[in-house]
Amino acid sequence: MSELTLKQRIHNGEAVNVGGAPMDSTKEQLEDIFSKDSYDLVGIDSQHSAFVEKELVRFCGMAEDLGVPAMFRIKHTRHAFLIGNYVDLGPLAIVVPQVENESTVDEAIDAFYYPQVGKRSWGPSSGYGIKAIPDRLEYAEWWNNNGILCLQIESVNAVINARKLAKPGVDMLVFGANDLSFSLESYTNPPFKTVDDCIRHVVEQMEGTGVKVGVGTSPSGKF
C-alpha cells in the first residue's frame, strides 16, 4: 500500500504539525528549526510581514531541499486571484486570511488548481515538485492531488457560514484568534461567547466533509 500524501492525511483528520520560520532564514537557521521537531509544513507569512517574491522562491526551494514543504499566508484576502502566481514560486500550501465570502473561496480554488479542477495558468517555474515532474499534464494532476488550500476563519460571519465556505478543493480551515476576538467584541450579545465556542461550532459543521479544522490559531502550530 502506498504511503498517504499529506493532503490525504489532512482529509483523514490526522494531526498536522506546522513549524514557523522567518522568510529570510538561512539554511543553517532552518536546519536548526527543523531539528527541534518533526514538521509536516513550515509556515511563512506575508499578511503581517514584508516579503519579496525572490525571497519566497529562495525560502521555498531551501525548505523543499530539506524535506519540509512551505505553507504561505498571502498578504490580503483580495489577493486570492494571485494564488496561482504564489504557488508558481514554491509553496505547497496556501493560507487565505480573513475569508468571509463564497466568492473569495471560488476565486481561490480557481487560482490554486489546474484544469480541469480550477483555472490556474501553466508555468510553475519554481513550483514545488516541478523538477521531479516536468511534464505539464502529469504535474497538473499531481498538484491537484497534493496542493493544500487553507482558509483562515477570523469573523463571526465566517464561523456561522463555515460549511458554505468549505467547498470541494478546500483542505483545511484555520483560525485567527485575535481578529476573531475583535469580531466577537463588536457584538452586544454575540452568538458565540469565546473563540473556543467558535472552534467547536466549526468542528461540528465540518463533520463528514473531510475538511480539517486547525485548532492552531496562526500559520504555525499543531493542527
Side-chain angles (χ1 to χ4, degrees):
M1 181 179 293
S2 60
E3 184 178 352
L4 293 178
T5 67
L6 180 57
K7 189 180 183 85
Q8 289 169 330
R9 288 172 49 206
I10 288 170
H11 285 280
N12 287 346
E14 293 185 27
V16 178
N17 193 13
V18 184
M23 204 177 301
D24 61 356
S25 299
T26 65
K27 182 177 181 180
E28 290 72 22
Q29 289 170 329
L30 204 53
E31 286 175 329
D32 182 62
I33 291 169
F34 293 166
S35 71
K36 292 178 169 57
D37 204 343
S38 177
Y39 294 110
D40 298 295
L41 293 162
V42 55
I44 45 177
D45 180 55
S46 71
Q47 185 187 14
H48 298 296
S49 302
F51 93 105
V52 293
E53 291 188 352
K54 287 185 177 179
E55 191 67 33
L56 178 61
V57 172
R58 183 197 68 85
F59 181 95
C60 291
M62 185 170 59
E64 181 178 357
D65 289 343
L66 294 174
V68 182
M71 168 185 273
F72 179 62
R73 181 165 65 179
I74 67 174
K75 189 163 284 292
H76 194 278
T77 310
R78 292 181 182 175
H79 288 190
F81 73 98
L82 290 173
I83 287 174
N85 172 250
Y86 292 137
V87 288
D88 282 347
L89 305 182
L92 179 67
I94 289 289
V95 178
V96 184
Q98 297 182 306
V99 176
E100 288 193 318
N101 301 315
E102 290 184 65
S103 60
T104 300
V105 182
D106 292 337
E107 191 168 44
I109 290 169
D110 279 346
F112 187 80
Y113 291 100
Y114 285 111
Q116 302 304 317
V117 177
K119 299 178 181 178
R120 179 181 170 188
S121 175
W122 176 255
S125 56
S126 301
Y128 185 89
I130 187 61
K131 293 178 182 178
I133 314 173
D135 179 78
R136 175 179 61 87
L137 292 178
E138 186 179 358
Y139 182 81
E141 181 179 8
W142 179 89
W143 176 266
N144 287 351
N145 290 318
N146 286 272
I148 298 165
L149 180 60
C150 308
L151 310 179
Q152 196 156 20
I153 303 300
E154 304 183 75
S155 70
V156 170
N157 284 341
V159 170
I160 291 171
N161 294 309
R163 185 67 180 250
K164 294 179 180 179
L165 299 176
K167 297 188 173 193
V170 173
D171 298 299
M172 183 157 55
L173 303 180
V174 297
F175 288 84
N178 291 318
D179 285 341
L180 182 50
S181 294
F182 278 136
S183 183
L184 288 168
E185 291 157 1
S186 72
Y187 287 78
T188 303
N189 294 299
F192 309 100
K193 298 299 182 183
T194 66
V195 170
D196 284 343
D197 289 341
C198 293
I199 293 173
R200 281 191 288 269
H201 179 76
V202 172
V203 168
E204 290 174 0
Q205 288 191 76
M206 292 305 107
E207 288 181 3
T209 66
V211 177
K212 174 77 172 177
V213 178
V215 296
T217 56
S218 75
S220 61
K222 291 185 183 292
F223 294 129

